[in-house]
Amino acid sequence: MSSLFELGVIHYTHPVIVIVSVSPSFLEYIEFVLGMHLQGHWGDVTEAASTLSDFGLLTGTSVSSAYDLVEEFEPLGDAVIIVTDLLLSVTVVSMSTAIRK
């Protein structure tokens, strides 16, 4: 797998930690979408949001992505949101209860 940038330090929000503790297989899904994020596949976002992440990648500022949950995890929320601040080398993984399409 080819990466376009580094994730840096990864921070998981409290809801993500709780879900992983209840459903360890959810961590595998997070690892998968982190891989997509690293490859510049911004997931289930609007065209404008995708363009902003492309611009952030080019300028070295920040990128973000959202991935609707697969059927197995739909009862846990709507989407996994990933934001990487390229300047600070920090990535935050959180959950959304609103679909971002």
Side-chain angles (χ1 to χ4, degrees), residues 32-52:
F32 172 76
V33 296
L34 279 170
M36 298 293 288
H37 179 76
L38 279 169
Q39 293 177 41
H41 299 288
W42 311 127
D44 303 304
V45 297
T46 64
E47 187 174 330
S50 179
T51 299
L52 282 174

Side-chain angles (χ1 to χ4, degrees), residues 42 50-64 84 86:
W42 311 127
S50 179
T51 299
L52 282 174
S53 284
D54 288 340
F55 183 73
L57 184 60
L58 289 173
T59 58
T61 53
S62 67
V63 295
S64 62
T84 301
L86 300 170

Side-chain angles (χ1 to χ4, degrees), residues 5-17 30 33-34 37 62-67 79-86 88-96 100:
F5 55 93
E6 304 255 340
L7 292 174
V9 177
I10 302 173
H11 294 276
Y12 297 96
T13 61
H14 182 73
V16 173
I17 293 169
I30 289 174
V33 296
L34 279 170
H37 179 76
S62 67
V63 295
S64 62
S65 56
Y67 304 91
V80 172
I81 309 299
I82 304 170
V83 178
T84 301
D85 185 315
L86 300 170
L88 297 176
S89 294
V90 172
T91 297
V92 176
V93 179
S94 61
M95 294 293 294
S96 171
R100 301 176 57 111

